[in-house]
Amino acid sequence: MNEAARLETAGEGRYRISGPLNVASVPTVWPALARLAAGGGDTDVSLAGVTHADSAAVACLVAGMRAARAAGGRIRFADLPESMRVIVDVSDLESLFPAVSPQA
């Protein structure tokens, strides 16, 4: 049985993604992330609860940032798991994902 990734609210303008965020689960998270991005405004999303991530996860986050920018807003992702950080570094995407200390 595959665990599904979830996008949940964590307070005003703050959200969190938890569970595995990979090629199998991105399609379950993308619709909610796309709606969030389309709303414009500034949004912070913690990835501290992500248990597994791959390049599809990074692509999903980049698409979310682009969609938010197109809507006149901005999404910031914090607490990237190490597996995502490696993909970001290798893909030369550091400027999109600045180093952020984990949330308390």
Side-chain angles (χ1 to χ4, degrees), residues 30 33-34 37-38 59-69 74-75 77:
W30 174 247
L33 185 59
C60 179
L61 302 186
V62 170
M65 286 188 265
R66 288 181 178 158
R69 186 176 41 227
R74 183 168 82 159
I75 295 180
F77 295 100

Side-chain angles (χ1 to χ4, degrees), residues 20-73:
L21 189 59
N22 54 37
V23 70
S25 66
V26 162
T28 65
V29 171
W30 174 247
L33 185 59
R35 281 190 301 276
L36 184 63
D42 285 348
T43 304
D44 293 307
V45 179
S46 171
L47 302 170
V50 172
T51 58
H52 172 73
D54 62 15
S55 59
V58 175
C60 179
L61 302 186
V62 170
M65 286 188 265
R66 288 181 178 158
R69 186 176 41 227

